[in-house]
Amino acid sequence: MAELVRVRRLRDQEGQQLLRITRRGTGSPIRLRRAMVVLASAGGNTVPAIARLVQADEDTIRQVIHRFNEIGMASLDPQWAGGRPRQISPDEEQFIVETANTRPEQLGRPFTRWSIRKLADHLRVHSTRRVRIERERLRQILHRHRITFQRTKTWKESTDPQRDAKLARIEYVSAHFPQRVFAFDEFGPLVIRPQAGTGWAPAGHPHRFPANYHKLHGVRQFHGCYSVGDDQLWGVVRRRKSAANTLAALKSIRAARPDGAPIYVILDNLSAHKGRKIRAWAARNKVELCFTPTYASWANPIEAQFGPLRTFVIAGSNHPNHTALTRRLQAYLRWRNANARHPDVLAAQRRERARIRSERQRRWGQPATRAA
């Protein structure tokens, strides 16, 4: 006959502690039930009787008794596991991410975007590979994979059949003849009203302008010319874009290289840039017009030069009229051109940094790390 399962003889300290746990009835319910099992077994109760007392399975009672006999009072404390076994496999998680990145219309669903509820329902019922997942768990997976709720944006792709040829020509002349390459474009519209901007100010006390959104002075256009090789920017403010104003700008560019050698001007496909008079004048004066592809004005080097104009002259301003604005623009252009980083200066700075690195390595044995 098998020996009855029973707790070992308790020490006084263990008995008092078990009695205190069962009498107070506070703390963890699991700890309380296990203490009751141990006390009942120590009192001579059989396993079936203890199972009826605590409303548990007899095998569970035997496990509690055996564990107490092995490690003592520590067996009463619950050993919390790490939660439910993982139900979403890495393959299923990748499938969830791919589904979230796919428009619902492509999967046969009658809406243009997912919500958390709709995506969870699709994964659970309508997808070819069904994944049962709750909304909060789905939200956590999307957050971990940096999938956020964003506004849809539009973009334009160049439809110019000569796109590659035009870009190749611009790259070629910029690389081989930088001292004879210029760029032209208009910057605007320039309006007279308080412009929002940023700047240094005491905390909580930003600079303020009166609110006024009326365009009482009309609009203007800044016609800018940029010398790629010399890093010089100049231009004038006009009332409108026109072929006559474009031709005047091209003549100022031609005057910047009076030696009669060919020059190259990069500009976009605006109709005011490629009229018959402009093309005829360019052919007579050895000016090659390098047009950017349609919807690809980013290829024009002057576009990057307009950013500082907006940041340091337009933003955070409250000019009274276009005359004052034009004066500020010209003052900034004079300062910018006087402080331009000439290619020769940049080359000299690079040579000086290289000399310092080699000298440091020779004298101190330090590696010649590249300066930032």
Side-chain angles (χ1 to χ4, degrees), residues 46-56 58:
T46 62
V47 169
I50 300 174
R52 290 191 297 269
L53 174 66
V54 297
Q55 297 294 311
E58 293 182 9

Side-chain angles (χ1 to χ4, degrees), residues 161-181:
Q162 299 179 348
R163 175 183 182 275
D164 295 335
K166 290 180 178 179
L167 292 178
R169 183 57 179 170
I170 292 174
E171 293 173 359
Y172 178 82
V173 298
S174 299
H176 291 79
F177 315 107
Q179 296 298 326
R180 288 186 279 153
V181 175

Side-chain angles (χ1 to χ4, degrees), residues 139-155:
R139 186 194 64 78
Q140 294 174 359
I141 290 176
L142 297 180
H143 178 74
R144 184 166 63 251
H145 288 270
R146 300 180 62 83
I147 300 177
T148 58
F149 200 74
Q150 303 179 33
R151 184 181 298 277
T152 302
K153 296 184 177 180
T154 60
W155 60 282

Side-chain angles (χ1 to χ4, degrees), residues 251-269:
K251 289 180 178 179
S252 72
I253 292 175
R254 177 71 271 187
R257 291 292 183 272
D259 54 5
I263 62 173
Y264 309 89
V265 181
I266 303 172
L267 63 172
D268 59 31
N269 287 273

Side-chain angles (χ1 to χ4, degrees), residues 28 46 73 89 98 123 137 141 174 189 199 253 260 269 272 278 281 287-288 291-292 298 303 321 325 330:
S28 170
T46 62
M73 294 295 294
S89 66
E98 292 175 357
L123 293 168
R137 176 65 174 153
I141 290 176
S174 299
I253 292 175
N269 287 273
I278 293 177
W281 176 89
V287 177
E288 180 180 339
F291 293 103
T292 61
W298 49 265
E303 292 292 345
N321 49 52
L325 173 57
Q330 296 298 335

Side-chain angles (χ1 to χ4, degrees), residues 4-140:
L4 296 177
V5 176
R6 184 174 179 177
V7 74
R8 62 172 173 76
R9 182 178 296 176
L10 300 178
R11 293 191 295 269
D12 292 340
Q13 184 179 1
E14 291 175 339
Q16 293 171 5
Q17 190 173 357
L18 289 170
L19 188 62
R20 186 164 55 250
I21 292 173
T22 55
R23 286 182 176 178
R24 292 180 178 178
T26 58
S28 170
I30 297 177
R31 198 164 187 264
L32 173 61
R33 285 164 61 87
R34 291 178 180 177
M36 292 173 61
V37 169
V38 173
L39 270 182
S41 179
N45 293 284
T46 62
V47 169
I50 300 174
R52 290 191 297 269
L53 174 66
V54 297
Q55 297 294 311
D57 185 77
E58 293 182 9
D59 291 336
T60 302
I61 301 302
R62 294 187 181 93
Q63 291 176 3
V64 172
I65 294 174
H66 286 309
R67 188 162 179 79
F68 183 86
N69 292 337
E70 293 173 0
I71 63 175
M73 294 295 294
S75 65
L76 303 182
D77 298 323
Q79 302 295 322
W80 301 110
R84 216 167 32 172
R86 184 182 180 90
Q87 296 183 350
I88 305 296
S89 66
D91 291 340
E92 291 176 333
E93 186 168 327
Q94 185 62 31
F95 175 73
I96 292 172
V97 172
E98 292 175 357
T99 304
N101 284 326
T102 304
R103 287 181 63 86
E105 297 170 326
Q106 299 179 9
L107 300 177
R109 307 304 295 153
F111 24 84
T112 59
R113 65 175 178 86
W114 295 113
S115 65
I116 294 294
R117 185 189 299 272
K118 288 181 172 61
L119 181 56
D121 177 70
H122 174 80
L123 293 168
R124 184 172 54 252
V125 179
H126 301 284
S127 64
T128 56
R129 180 179 179 180
R130 297 186 178 181
V131 180
R132 185 174 181 83
I133 185 172
E134 298 298 329
R135 283 177 285 171
E136 178 60 21
R137 176 65 174 153
L138 177 59
R139 186 194 64 78
Q140 294 174 359

